[in-house]
Amino acid sequence: MNIHITNGRLIDPANRLDTQADLYIADGKIVGVGQAPAGFIAARTIDAAGLVVAPGLIDLAARLREPGFEYKATLESEMDAAMAGGITSLAIPPDTDPVLDEPGLVEMLCYRAKKLNRAHVYPVGALTIGLKGEQLSEMAELVEAGCVAFSQANVPILDTRVLGRAMQYAATFGFRVWLQPLDPYLARGGVAHDGEVASRLGLPGIPASAEIVALFTYLRLARQTGARLHITRLSSAESLDLIEQARKDGVDVTCDVAAHHLHLCDMDIGYFNPHCHVIPPLRSQRDRIALSKALADGRINAICSDHTPVDDDAKQAPFSESEPGTTGLELLLPLTLKWAAEHKLPLLDALARITSEAAKIAGIAKGGHLSVGARADVCIFDPDAYQLIDRSMLRSQGKNTPFLGLELPGKVRYTLVEGSPMYEAAH
């Protein structure tokens, strides 16, 4: 379908573009920016007056719960949530059941996702077989099957020799390694940040050193092996200095932060709110402020939703027994806009963290920008419209979010995937 998007404010961070301009789409691609190509006839015109026209958002951490955890969520429910959130590309961690450590499983997931014809799915393969940290996975075959990087999800490798070999192998072929820094021994049994709040509530703590010790090891091994490293979901202020030093030493390292860590701290646990049970834990107010500033000045490259839908029974247990995780696909854009407003950042820079910068990390050349010839993945939203976050508005099967009851800015009006309107909000 030929589509003409008119009267919108076009924001394309990859091309440093923030202007009033029309967008022209044909055959699933962008064929004109500001000016229609010769002979273009629109089958449909979308009036984007008062709206922002941006590249489809890219989420670097979204658990869709298939295969293996369909009782928590399904591909279909989470793809619907992604469309409602303006997200057109999703990187999927490997901690499914079975684990994404075989090419056949990766191909099946990609096939299932493609059949649903919504967001593009980019699997992150298991770094080791079964995420057990013992044998390396067949990385080359997994890349052929569709994996964009390799990770251990939330399961650390205990044997650092195995981790070193994995990085060395990945570096040889230029594969990306994505790691969440968490020392399993320092974090063992913990459910909240090791601070005053956890002490007062009698909750076992996870110290910031659990992140810092693991991060130091990862950066040292990356320096030794030349691996391309991406650190996922930073949570502590001290980690930022380690990453800065590593970059000065020539380590190729990027990092992201989960959207909820920009707005919440351990104080938000309140009276044992299980929606605030996440891994890594919500840390101190000082950590939250430091992460927020580091994202604003570019030391942190991107924002992810860390979308982890959990069924109600698992969330309604006592805090320390509840399952960690928060739903985030539909909140990625609102939480990004709220963070940007707090720092008085231009929309161009804010959207870069969930479009062009995320695309670079995941190696997505076709998405994250609105250049002529690019895939026509587009998010059209109203930056000034506020919406109340409640269970009924969340399309995700997981209703677990600490932001329930709050009004947040940014309402997605249209989501286009390869030029097809996959979501249209009721006005």
Side-chain angles (χ1 to χ4, degrees), residues 65 154 274 277-279 308-310 314-315 321-326 400:
R65 294 309 200 184
N154 293 344
H277 183 191
V278 291
I279 299 292
T308 308
V310 174
K315 260 300 173 197
E321 294 167 30
S322 66
E323 188 175 332
T326 174
N400 49 301

Side-chain angles (χ1 to χ4, degrees), residues 6-340:
T6 184
N7 298 324
R9 177 185 171 190
L10 201 68
I11 300 183
D12 182 8
N15 294 305
R16 302 303 296 168
L17 199 64
D18 182 354
T19 185
Q20 199 80 17
D22 288 8
L23 198 67
Y24 300 88
I25 295 167
D27 298 322
K29 292 183 178 169
I30 292 162
V31 292
V33 177
Q35 193 172 351
F40 181 90
I41 298 170
R44 179 173 179 189
T45 299
I46 295 175
D47 185 0
L51 306 178
V52 169
V53 179
L57 312 185
I58 295 171
D59 191 351
L60 294 174
R63 288 173 173 81
L64 305 186
R65 294 309 200 184
E66 281 196 38
F69 300 104
E70 287 82 357
Y71 64 95
K72 295 178 184 176
T74 63
L75 268 184
E76 196 160 0
S77 67
E78 304 320 287
M79 289 281 204
D80 280 348
M83 293 296 94
I87 300 170
T88 56
S89 296
L90 300 157
I92 312 300
D95 52 351
T96 49
D97 184 20
V99 166
L100 296 180
D101 59 2
E102 290 182 17
L105 289 168
V106 173
E107 285 166 359
M108 184 181 74
L109 178 63
C110 291
Y111 172 75
R112 285 263 298 117
K114 199 163 187 178
K115 211 172 172 187
L116 286 170
N117 197 28
R118 291 185 183 90
H120 307 284
V121 160
Y122 295 93
V124 177
L127 195 59
T128 59
I129 292 172
L131 297 177
K132 290 177 181 173
E134 295 165 2
Q135 289 175 277
L136 304 193
S137 62
E138 296 289 346
M139 292 186 216
E141 290 181 17
L142 288 168
V143 165
E144 279 180 29
C147 287
V148 295
F150 295 93
S151 162
Q152 282 290 113
N154 293 344
V155 189
I157 293 177
L158 298 179
D159 188 333
T160 44
R161 192 173 184 183
V162 172
L163 180 58
R165 283 178 177 163
M167 283 196 187
Q168 197 168 28
Y169 183 86
T172 304
F173 294 95
F175 302 150
R176 297 172 180 82
V177 177
W178 293 13
L179 295 174
Q180 184 183 348
L182 198 67
D183 183 282
Y185 297 112
L186 289 170
R188 186 162 52 192
V191 295
H193 171 60
D194 189 16
E196 286 178 26
V197 175
S199 297
R200 193 174 71 243
L201 297 176
L203 296 172
I206 300 175
S209 58
E211 176 169 292
I212 295 149
V213 167
L215 180 60
F216 183 84
T217 303
Y218 297 167
L219 293 171
R220 179 61 60 172
L221 288 173
R223 185 179 175 185
Q224 183 181 307
T225 59
R228 298 165 70 191
L229 185 61
H230 176 63
I231 299 298
T232 67
R233 287 156 285 168
L234 279 183
S235 70
S236 73
E238 229 177 303
S239 296
L240 299 167
D241 295 333
L242 284 178
I243 287 174
E244 254 191 298
Q245 187 56 52
R247 285 171 175 159
K248 285 175 187 169
D249 294 341
V251 178
D252 185 351
V253 58
T254 52
C255 55
D256 67 45
V257 62
H260 46 269
H261 276 106
L262 299 172
H263 300 285
L264 303 173
C265 67
D266 58 350
M267 295 292 288
D268 291 293
I269 291 172
Y271 293 102
F272 305 98
N273 179 2
H275 289 308
C276 290
H277 183 191
V278 291
I279 299 292
L282 299 174
R283 297 214 178 269
S284 69
Q285 180 76 325
R286 176 182 156 270
D287 289 310
R288 186 197 70 77
I289 292 168
L291 292 171
S292 192
K293 282 182 179 172
L295 181 66
D297 64 30
R299 284 175 290 158
I300 295 177
N301 305 83
I303 309 171
C304 71
S305 72
D306 195 18
H307 177 69
T308 308
V310 174
D311 61 297
D312 285 344
D313 288 347
K315 260 300 173 197
Q316 286 165 4
F319 190 95
S320 55
E321 294 167 30
S322 66
E323 188 175 332
T326 174
T327 191
L329 289 175
E330 291 152 275
L331 301 177
L332 181 61
L333 177 63
L335 292 177
T336 299
L337 296 178
K338 186 175 189 294
W339 159 78

